Amino acid sequence: MTKGKRVDTSTVLFGVFGNPVAHSMGPVMHNAAFKKIGFNAVYLAFRITDIANGILAIRELGIRGVSITIPFKESVIPFLDEIDEDARCMGAVNTIVNQNGKLTGYNTDHRGAVEPLMALTSLQRRHVCILGAGGAAKAVAFGLKKKNAVITITNRTVSKGISLAHQVGAAFVSMDDFETARPDIIINTTSIGMTPNQDQTPLDKRFLHPGMIVMDIVYNPLETRFLKEAKTAGCRLIDGLSMFIHQGAAQFKLFTGKDAPEPVMRDAVLQAMRKV
Ligand code: ATR
């Protein structure tokens, strides 16, 4: 909603489709940004059970843009009119833009992963180790590959790790051989360390060395045990909100054509997290 304005017949509707979706920070983030740029729009969370019907709803209600989250990022694809190249390569869509009834699918997750890193360093030929091999790992790996990083994946379930490594042109290393990866950058894409398991960490601290960049995608808590230990070891840190805010900012640009007010988005999410 815009400052001083009410929701009215010209209000533009956006939303997030997922299941579950009750804890999504998308509404807080995007509504704060709409307000900041003075755009008469609202962004709501919709718990969807049938994605085909969800897509019909976008068309019928004229919803201008939708974020897609778990579990629909892959299954939504056949229902869209066009898929942009990155999303097609990744096999996953996290953003739909409705332009006069034509629905185009995009994926901004990979940008969310690499943009915070690129604020600190070039990724060209840098050695990056990804912990985990799920959907988030795939998006991170895709983004890194585009920037010509040298990627190594490690994962509890070895077969899944090797499979992702093959898919994205990365190496695989078992946790026992982690030292051989010699990464400049380590990214945790698993849920290890997330509340209520905040005493856990995805990687033994003996593998953390001064000068490394260590990034976590867990943002609850914001300072995970992994990041705390990385800080003590002299690493540079990127917290879990960074990827979320950056993918949201890229989404906002697709939704509105305007640059996202990232600091406002981050502050709004931080404030909302404090209340939870
Ligand atoms: P997402 O799509 O959000 O990335 P996911 O597909 O469920 O989620 O992937 C979660 C990743 O975290 C996987 O790599 C998973 O390892 P497995 O492939 O062995 O399941 C990893 N993961 C989650 N909990 C873990 C734990 N307690 N220990 C080790 N790895 C874990």
Side-chain angles (χ1 to χ4, degrees), residues 93-172:
V93 158
N94 82 330
T95 309
I96 299 173
V97 175
N98 178 3
Q99 204 168 34
N100 303 318
K102 184 175 139 202
L103 305 190
T104 304
Y106 299 89
N107 197 313
T108 67
D109 285 334
H110 62 289
R111 290 184 48 190
V114 298
E115 282 172 7
L117 286 166
M118 286 171 62
L120 297 183
T121 183
S122 156
L123 291 171
Q124 180 86 15
R125 307 299 305 157
R126 296 310 292 275
H127 287 244
V128 186
C129 190
I130 299 174
L131 312 178
K138 192 173 170 186
V140 169
F142 180 85
L144 291 169
K145 201 72 196 174
K146 276 189 80 158
K147 302 293 176 193
N148 294 317
V150 179
I151 307 167
T152 302
I153 289 168
T154 187
N155 193 48
R156 173 180 62 184
T157 307
V158 171
S159 58
K160 261 178 78 180
I162 290 176
S163 165
L164 179 62
H166 278 309
Q167 259 182 68
V168 298
F172 177 83

